Amino acid sequence: MKKLILYISFLLLTVLVFGFVLEFTFMRAHSSGVIRDKVSWVKSLPDNSMYDYAIFGSSRSLNTLQPVLIDSVLGTQGINLAAEASGPFEIKLMIQEFLKTASAKSIYVQVDYRNNEYPDPLGRVVWIPYIKEASIFNAFSVHGDEYVAYRYIPFYRFMKFGPKIGLRNQTLSLAGKSKGITELKGYIPIKEQLTSLTEQPLIKVNAANTYLDAIINICAENAIDVRFFTAPIYKSTFSFSEYTEFLPNYYDFSQTLQQKELFADRNHLNHQGSIEFTQLFISEVIKKTP
């Protein structure tokens, strides 16, 4: 019996040590490799970086607004920190992370039908490698005990989310495969064109959201002008009327640019559509921002 206990203890200790070694190796690769996501990019920004504007949101701003085009027209300096599948929770977290080392005169936040008050199953993944940081853990921990396990069990989160942050991602990072995150100041183009259209029911979006409210407060505390907008949706069946009452400085562009050839799918503009919308955004929002 004693030998069995010693053998089991040895196995557990070996697994634990191996877990810590892998944990250290993967985090080292994650932090020292090239930038492959918006969280690692915002963490790499130089201290006291100052921008004229910063853009936040989901892929509907990631693939929609082009800082290079904006800056060429206005002579400004901007950055697009929108990330795929980000909801209000992830957007607020990204703004907080951005403001740790940088700032902007204006912040533009894309909002739409994605209005959950919990971490998005896909949007949260880029944050999981950093769950050991107190501010990030505290944000996630109120949404479930699973985040305690991700923080305290060595290497567990890299196994759980392996397809996104596991061995393949670390290898590509160390090999210099950057996904083109920074080349266009955070904008990622889509070349495809919309081919098919599925029917959608008429949906009225409930605008009240704890994290959007927190974004307003954070910007007020930092004397930053914040403006919210909804990017174009092809033949939208959503009603965003409540945002007008809930959010300050809200712009609803959901019904604009309804030419089918400007869309990659129903909810995302393609590259040509992005050029058209960026120009519209410049004239209707940025130029009118104090």
Side-chain angles (χ1 to χ4, degrees):
M1 186 64 180
K2 184 178 179 180
K3 288 184 177 181
L4 178 61
I5 294 174
L6 289 174
Y7 180 68
I8 293 174
S9 299
F10 174 76
L11 286 179
L12 290 175
L13 181 60
T14 301
V15 169
L16 187 63
V17 171
F18 192 53
F20 277 115
V21 171
L22 288 173
E23 168 83 19
F24 174 80
T25 302
F26 271 61
M27 278 307 300
R28 185 69 178 268
H30 197 85
S31 60
S32 61
V34 297
I35 294 167
R36 285 182 53 81
D37 60 68
K38 290 296 180 68
V39 179
S40 60
W41 187 23
V42 79
K43 284 183 169 295
S44 72
L45 295 176
D47 289 345
N48 302 314
S49 298
M50 184 65 193
Y51 296 89
D52 292 295
Y53 64 88
I55 300 162
F56 297 88
S58 65
S59 58
R60 286 180 25 79
S61 42
L62 167 71
N63 309 126
T64 297
L65 287 176
Q66 304 185 30
V68 172
L69 177 55
I70 295 170
D71 296 346
S72 68
V73 172
L74 299 178
T76 51
Q77 180 66 26
I79 188 171
N80 187 331
L81 290 173
E84 292 180 351
S86 292
F89 172 84
E90 290 83 13
I91 296 170
K92 180 240 182 185
L93 199 55
M94 186 71 81
I95 291 173
Q96 283 186 319
E97 197 66 30
F98 170 72
L99 293 177
K100 285 182 180 179
T101 56
S103 189
K105 297 175 184 175
S106 297
I107 281 178
Y108 302 114
V109 180
Q110 203 285 142
V111 294
D112 48 43
Y113 45 80
R114 188 186 295 274
N115 203 36
N116 298 327
E117 292 203 339
Y118 50 83
D120 183 272
L122 294 177
R124 66 178 180 169
V125 176
V126 293
W127 292 97
I128 295 300
Y130 306 98
I131 200 72
K132 289 184 179 294
E133 295 182 20
S135 60
I136 294 174
F137 172 71
N138 291 338
F140 276 99
S141 62
V142 298
H143 293 285
D145 293 338
E146 63 178 302
Y147 300 103
V148 176
Y150 299 150
R151 187 185 197 197
Y152 290 107
I153 300 177
F155 196 63
Y156 174 55
R157 64 193 185 283
F158 290 103
M159 293 189 296
K160 176 74 173 181
F161 300 98
K164 293 290 185 180
I165 62 174
L167 180 61
R168 180 178 179 274
N169 185 69
Q170 307 305 325
T171 302
L172 291 173
S173 178
L174 291 174
K177 304 296 183 180
S178 68
K179 283 188 174 182
I181 296 292
T182 63
E183 281 80 349
L184 297 175
K185 298 186 177 182
Y187 163 71
I188 302 293
I190 305 177
K191 301 297 185 180
E192 292 80 6
Q193 285 193 358
L194 175 64
T195 55
S196 60
L197 193 65
T198 57
E199 293 295 324
Q200 290 183 323
L202 180 62
I203 301 173
K204 186 172 184 179
V205 177
N206 177 24
N209 185 284
T210 301
Y211 294 107
L212 295 181
D213 207 25
I215 290 171
I216 295 170
N217 292 333
I218 290 169
C219 290
E221 291 168 1
N222 289 274
I224 296 172
D225 179 85
V226 59
R227 291 169 187 262
F228 298 86
F229 70 98
T230 299
I233 301 172
Y234 186 66
K235 293 187 177 180
S236 174
T237 58
F238 295 94
S239 171
F240 301 109
S241 58
E242 288 194 19
Y243 278 134
T244 305
E245 300 176 4
F246 177 68
L247 297 174
N249 302 318
Y250 170 67
Y251 303 81
D252 184 5
F253 294 107
S254 61
Q255 302 286 346
T256 62
L257 304 181
Q258 290 300 294
Q259 302 96 309
K260 189 176 181 180
E261 63 271 16
L262 298 180
F263 286 82
D265 57 43
R266 187 167 199 152
N267 298 315
H268 296 83
L269 294 165
N270 57 29
H271 182 59
Q272 184 56 45
S274 172
I275 293 173
E276 298 283 340
F277 181 63
T278 299
Q279 292 171 335
L280 177 64
F281 197 82
I282 290 171
S283 62
E284 295 298 318
V285 181
I286 300 181
K287 283 187 174 181
K288 296 179 181 179
T289 301

